[in-house]
PDB file of all heavy atoms in Angstrom:
ATOM      1  N   SER F 421      37.941  45.015  10.817  1.00  0.00           N
ATOM      2  CA  SER F 421      37.351  44.304  11.982  1.00  0.00           C
ATOM      3  C   SER F 421      37.907  42.953  12.077  1.00  0.00           C
ATOM      4  O   SER F 421      38.094  42.189  11.126  1.00  0.00           O
ATOM      5  CB  SER F 421      35.838  44.287  11.867  1.00  0.00           C
ATOM      6  OG  SER F 421      35.281  43.450  12.853  1.00  0.00           O
ATOM      7  N   LEU F 422      38.226  42.568  13.343  1.00  0.00           N
ATOM      8  CA  LEU F 422      38.767  41.238  13.585  1.00  0.00           C
ATOM      9  C   LEU F 422      37.702  40.162  13.350  1.00  0.00           C
ATOM     10  O   LEU F 422      38.065  38.951  13.200  1.00  0.00           O
ATOM     11  CB  LEU F 422      39.236  41.124  15.097  1.00  0.00           C
ATOM     12  CG  LEU F 422      40.019  39.909  15.458  1.00  0.00           C
ATOM     13  CD1 LEU F 422      41.334  39.840  14.717  1.00  0.00           C
ATOM     14  CD2 LEU F 422      40.322  40.021  17.002  1.00  0.00           C
ATOM     15  N   ARG F 423      36.481  40.567  13.220  1.00  0.00           N
ATOM     16  CA  ARG F 423      35.397  39.557  12.914  1.00  0.00           C
ATOM     17  C   ARG F 423      35.693  38.843  11.603  1.00  0.00           C
ATOM     18  O   ARG F 423      35.402  37.671  11.470  1.00  0.00           O
ATOM     19  CB  ARG F 423      34.065  40.300  12.736  1.00  0.00           C
ATOM     20  CG  ARG F 423      32.897  39.311  12.573  1.00  0.00           C
ATOM     21  CD  ARG F 423      31.721  40.020  11.940  1.00  0.00           C
ATOM     22  NE  ARG F 423      31.944  40.265  10.521  1.00  0.00           N
ATOM     23  CZ  ARG F 423      31.216  41.059   9.765  1.00  0.00           C
ATOM     24  NH1 ARG F 423      30.293  41.824  10.317  1.00  0.00           N
ATOM     25  NH2 ARG F 423      31.456  41.196   8.481  1.00  0.00           N
ATOM     26  N   TYR F 424      36.273  39.499  10.622  1.00  0.00           N
ATOM     27  CA  TYR F 424      36.459  38.917   9.284  1.00  0.00           C
ATOM     28  C   TYR F 424      37.390  37.680   9.326  1.00  0.00           C
ATOM     29  O   TYR F 424      37.032  36.613   8.890  1.00  0.00           O
ATOM     30  CB  TYR F 424      36.986  39.933   8.315  1.00  0.00           C
ATOM     31  CG  TYR F 424      35.918  40.969   7.925  1.00  0.00           C
ATOM     32  CD1 TYR F 424      35.852  42.196   8.682  1.00  0.00           C
ATOM     33  CD2 TYR F 424      34.980  40.751   6.975  1.00  0.00           C
ATOM     34  CE1 TYR F 424      34.859  43.109   8.367  1.00  0.00           C
ATOM     35  CE2 TYR F 424      33.992  41.666   6.651  1.00  0.00           C
ATOM     36  CZ  TYR F 424      33.981  42.827   7.330  1.00  0.00           C
ATOM     37  OH  TYR F 424      32.998  43.797   7.070  1.00  0.00           O
ATOM     38  N   PRO F 425      38.577  37.792   9.879  1.00  0.00           N
ATOM     39  CA  PRO F 425      39.399  36.574   9.977  1.00  0.00           C
ATOM     40  C   PRO F 425      38.855  35.528  10.912  1.00  0.00           C
ATOM     41  O   PRO F 425      39.106  34.326  10.670  1.00  0.00           O
ATOM     42  CB  PRO F 425      40.769  37.120  10.386  1.00  0.00           C
ATOM     43  CG  PRO F 425      40.511  38.363  11.120  1.00  0.00           C
ATOM     44  CD  PRO F 425      39.294  38.935  10.342  1.00  0.00           C
ATOM     45  N   LEU F 426      38.214  35.965  11.979  1.00  0.00           N
ATOM     46  CA  LEU F 426      37.698  35.004  12.970  1.00  0.00           C
ATOM     47  C   LEU F 426      36.575  34.174  12.326  1.00  0.00           C
ATOM     48  O   LEU F 426      36.544  32.876  12.501  1.00  0.00           O
ATOM     49  CB  LEU F 426      37.138  35.744  14.172  1.00  0.00           C
ATOM     50  CG  LEU F 426      38.201  36.328  15.121  1.00  0.00           C
ATOM     51  CD1 LEU F 426      37.530  37.044  16.275  1.00  0.00           C
ATOM     52  CD2 LEU F 426      39.200  35.286  15.642  1.00  0.00           C
ATOM     53  N   VAL F 427      35.726  34.800  11.563  1.00  0.00           N
ATOM     54  CA  VAL F 427      34.664  34.052  10.860  1.00  0.00           C
ATOM     55  C   VAL F 427      35.218  33.115   9.824  1.00  0.00           C
ATOM     56  O   VAL F 427      34.724  31.954   9.671  1.00  0.00           O
ATOM     57  CB  VAL F 427      33.585  35.051  10.274  1.00  0.00           C
ATOM     58  CG1 VAL F 427      32.641  34.304   9.308  1.00  0.00           C
ATOM     59  CG2 VAL F 427      32.781  35.696  11.400  1.00  0.00           C
ATOM     60  N   GLU F 428      36.156  33.591   9.093  1.00  0.00           N
ATOM     61  CA  GLU F 428      36.824  32.735   8.060  1.00  0.00           C
ATOM     62  C   GLU F 428      37.503  31.518   8.727  1.00  0.00           C
ATOM     63  O   GLU F 428      37.367  30.404   8.239  1.00  0.00           O
ATOM     64  CB  GLU F 428      37.801  33.532   7.268  1.00  0.00           C
ATOM     65  CG  GLU F 428      37.179  34.542   6.310  1.00  0.00           C
ATOM     66  CD  GLU F 428      38.123  35.636   5.839  1.00  0.00           C
ATOM     67  OE1 GLU F 428      39.322  35.619   6.269  1.00  0.00           O
ATOM     68  OE2 GLU F 428      37.718  36.440   5.000  1.00  0.00           O
ATOM     69  N   PHE F 429      38.162  31.744   9.817  1.00  0.00           N
ATOM     70  CA  PHE F 429      38.845  30.629  10.532  1.00  0.00           C
ATOM     71  C   PHE F 429      37.806  29.620  11.091  1.00  0.00           C
ATOM     72  O   PHE F 429      37.973  28.439  10.994  1.00  0.00           O
ATOM     73  CB  PHE F 429      39.666  31.198  11.710  1.00  0.00           C
ATOM     74  CG  PHE F 429      40.378  30.108  12.527  1.00  0.00           C
ATOM     75  CD1 PHE F 429      41.494  29.496  12.134  1.00  0.00           C
ATOM     76  CD2 PHE F 429      39.755  29.691  13.708  1.00  0.00           C
ATOM     77  CE1 PHE F 429      42.092  28.474  12.854  1.00  0.00           C
ATOM     78  CE2 PHE F 429      40.358  28.719  14.485  1.00  0.00           C
ATOM     79  CZ  PHE F 429      41.533  28.100  14.043  1.00  0.00           C
ATOM     80  N   ALA F 430      36.688  30.206  11.610  1.00  0.00           N
ATOM     81  CA  ALA F 430      35.625  29.379  12.112  1.00  0.00           C
ATOM     82  C   ALA F 430      35.040  28.529  11.023  1.00  0.00           C
ATOM     83  O   ALA F 430      34.703  27.381  11.235  1.00  0.00           O
ATOM     84  CB  ALA F 430      34.537  30.231  12.801  1.00  0.00           C
ATOM     85  N   GLY F 431      34.852  29.114   9.798  1.00  0.00           N
ATOM     86  CA  GLY F 431      34.334  28.331   8.669  1.00  0.00           C
ATOM     87  C   GLY F 431      35.202  27.180   8.354  1.00  0.00           C
ATOM     88  O   GLY F 431      34.741  26.037   8.125  1.00  0.00           O
ATOM     89  N   ALA F 432      36.563  27.348   8.358  1.00  0.00           N
ATOM     90  CA  ALA F 432      37.477  26.312   8.100  1.00  0.00           C
ATOM     91  C   ALA F 432      37.410  25.234   9.176  1.00  0.00           C
ATOM     92  O   ALA F 432      37.406  23.992   8.898  1.00  0.00           O
ATOM     93  CB  ALA F 432      38.879  26.858   7.957  1.00  0.00           C
TER      94      ALA F 432
END
Side-chain angles (χ1 to χ4, degrees):
S421 172
L422 191 60
R423 185 203 75 196
Y424 291 95
L426 288 179
V427 168
E428 291 165 354
F429 177 81

